[in-house]
Amino acid sequence: METIVKAYGTGAVNNPLAAIDIKRRAIQPKDVEFEVLYCGICHSDLHQIKNDFGGTMWPIVPGHEIVGRVTQVGSEVTKFKVGDLAAVGCIVDSCGECQHCEHSLEMFCENGVTFSFNSPDAYMEGEHTYGGFSKKYVCEDKYVLKMPAFEDLASAAPLLCAGITVYSPLRHWGAGPDKKVGVLGIGGLGHLAIKIAKAMGAEVTVFTTSPSKVEDAKRLGADKAVLSSDPEQMQAAMGSQDIIIDTVSAKHDVNQYLGMLKVDGSLVLVGLPPENLEVGAFNVVMGRKSFSGSNIGGIAETQEMLDFCYEHNIVAESEIINIQDVNEAFERLEKGDVKYRFVIDMASL
Ligand code: NAP
Ligand code: ZN
């Protein structure tokens, strides 16, 4: 039977989030139901409640960095039992049959990915998916991650989106001991990129617009920090990086960062500024440089990332809040006033 679940969401753009009731589907044979313990707040949640990309489905219940404890499993589930820790990130369904699903790249499913919120719901006609700002979550076991027993479970929640979004390109573009990795923008994604790239053995340089993050970047593990408003520091960093992970959420000039790359270097966009970005031809032609992008990561790689972070003791630096403070948290996130991720303690709902 479908159940009614308490959640936090909003019915229109510029409306504050408030308590609402949502429907969760009846448990299917392969489904896992879990109580949500913690949910991170990603800048993508903010883009979606502002309808930055168009296409937001109302009412929206955001949240895609979801950690919980299993409360019920379907008759065919063997991967989980009641009481286990469980986690869900951005992907909760895909066709499972196309060339990309077959290669564990579910985020590029040719028949359409179902995201943890703001996607049509194949199980309940006329409904769309609702995210982790809710008491319970239900989805197929294939998309539920085994959550390692992190000591600080709340601060591990942001790994489910921010973590995999930087881990995947770092792996794909070969971050390692012989590589210099630049991290552009030190927010939720950026601060985890520093920690993960360091754990992979790379030398890490951060590029930040915030003077207060220059010192902090070193505490987070960065080898060097460049204040992007200082032309001398920027000049000194020219031509120095093999890979740059660009996490900036707003329109910015990528050309000056293409200049920071070595010959054959890659600037990898993971940030999602709603506006188009301009690339000058000479900035990629000279030096055979790549301007590229990356979108979260597949389910298998997300599990690999969780295990890697557990092994290397990597979690987010988080500010734990109650759900009733979520609107203030979104305002602060918009102003860049968070070091470095808000996580909601869902017991407050
Ligand atoms: P965040 O915590 O707000 O961090 C973004 C950082 O970008 C800020 O801390 C700031 O760093 C920098 N920044 C912001 N505005 C800027 C501007 N106008 N010019 C230059 N720098 C600016 O956001 P997040 O949660 O890390 O997410 C970052 C972006 O990634 C968002 O657009 C989000 O939607 C996107 N995202 C993409 C994926 C994917 O799969 N591709 C997954 C998750 C999130 P400094 O203070 O250091 O300059
Ligand atoms: Zn996200």
Side-chain angles (χ1 to χ4, degrees):
M1 222 177 45
E2 288 169 1
T3 50
I4 303 292
V5 170
K6 270 195 205 169
Y8 238 67
T10 176
V13 75
N14 294 328
N15 244 24
L17 274 70
I20 60 169
D21 286 336
I22 55 164
K23 262 196 276 183
R24 290 286 182 211
R25 71 186 187 223
I27 306 288
Q28 309 294 306
K30 290 184 176 154
D31 277 354
V32 173
E33 178 200 75
F34 60 91
E35 180 195 358
V36 180
L37 300 175
Y38 302 106
C39 190
I41 303 182
C42 174
H43 206 111
S44 297
D45 295 315
L46 179 60
H47 286 308
Q48 296 279 6
I49 62 173
K50 287 166 62 192
N51 199 16
D52 273 349
F53 310 132
T56 295
M57 298 174 185
W58 311 100
I60 180 176
V61 172
H64 55 277
E65 295 180 335
I66 316 169
V67 173
R69 199 172 285 285
V70 175
T71 46
Q72 219 186 129
V73 296
S75 57
E76 291 174 19
V77 174
T78 54
K79 185 173 158 191
F80 292 95
K81 58 182 192 319
V82 171
D84 285 352
L85 287 176
V88 161
C90 302
I91 304 168
V92 296
D93 209 356
S94 62
C95 81
E97 287 166 0
C98 71
Q99 52 174 334
H100 304 306
C101 285
E102 275 187 356
H103 291 95
S104 297
L105 296 171
E106 294 88 354
M107 63 285 193
F108 304 135
C109 175
E110 286 177 348
N111 296 301
V113 188
T114 303
F115 291 104
S116 36
F117 71 100
N118 204 36
S119 281
D121 191 328
Y123 291 83
M124 291 189 293
E125 219 188 313
E127 295 276 342
H128 51 270
T129 55
Y130 299 111
F133 293 8
S134 59
K135 272 288 180 199
K136 284 191 171 169
Y137 205 91
V138 176
C139 84
E140 195 183 320
D141 59 352
K142 182 175 165 188
Y143 303 92
V144 184
L145 290 312
K146 289 265 190 192
M147 192 66 184
F150 286 94
E151 205 175 301
D152 183 354
L153 198 55
S155 299
L159 298 176
L160 274 306
C161 174
I164 184 61
T165 300
V166 296
Y167 180 90
S168 184
L170 286 168
R171 270 270 178 272
H172 185 79
W173 274 271
D178 53 344
K179 289 286 163 65
K180 296 199 174 174
V181 171
V183 178
L184 177 49
I186 312 305
L189 270 55
H191 90 291
L192 283 171
I194 298 172
K195 294 185 181 198
I196 292 172
K198 279 307 290 180
M200 289 175 175
E203 184 184 311
V204 176
T205 300
V206 307
F207 297 88
T208 179
T209 61
S210 307
S212 74
K213 294 181 188 170
V214 171
E215 273 310 304
D216 218 22
K218 295 190 181 150
R219 180 182 63 82
L220 293 167
D223 298 283
K224 293 177 189 162
V226 173
L227 185 63
S228 55
S229 56
D230 181 337
E232 260 177 47
Q233 290 184 36
M234 290 291 274
Q235 183 61 37
M238 291 286 283
S240 62
Q241 305 297 307
D242 294 291
I243 312 157
I244 295 177
I245 306 291
D246 180 343
T247 77
V248 175
S249 54
K251 188 162 188 183
H252 59 290
D253 179 14
V254 293
N255 293 290
Q256 56 180 335
Y257 297 101
L258 288 167
M260 302 299 160
L261 293 172
K262 294 181 188 173
V263 169
D264 283 332
S266 298
L267 179 80
V268 186
L269 202 65
V270 292
L272 297 167
E275 305 85 0
N276 288 344
L277 303 174
E278 278 177 21
V279 173
F282 285 94
N283 297 323
V284 285
V285 167
M286 298 305 291
R288 199 163 53 189
K289 295 171 183 176
S290 302
F291 178 58
S292 51
S294 186
N295 184 32
I296 41 175
I299 296 297
E301 194 174 42
T302 305
Q303 188 64 59
E304 178 189 305
M305 175 278 309
L306 285 174
D307 297 340
F308 177 92
C309 289
Y310 184 64
E311 187 188 324
H312 292 271
N313 225 342
I314 295 172
V315 293
E317 313 255 318
S318 60
E319 182 173 337
I320 313 290
I321 62 160
N322 289 335
I323 189 77
Q324 293 77 12
D325 299 324
V326 73
N327 292 304
E328 192 194 331
F330 275 121
E331 278 167 32
R332 286 182 48 199
L333 179 61
E334 185 147 37
K335 287 187 287 192
D337 175 23
V338 51
K339 282 187 175 148
Y340 284 90
R341 199 63 147 185
F342 289 113
V343 175
I344 306 165
D345 180 350
M346 293 307 303
S348 59
L349 178 59

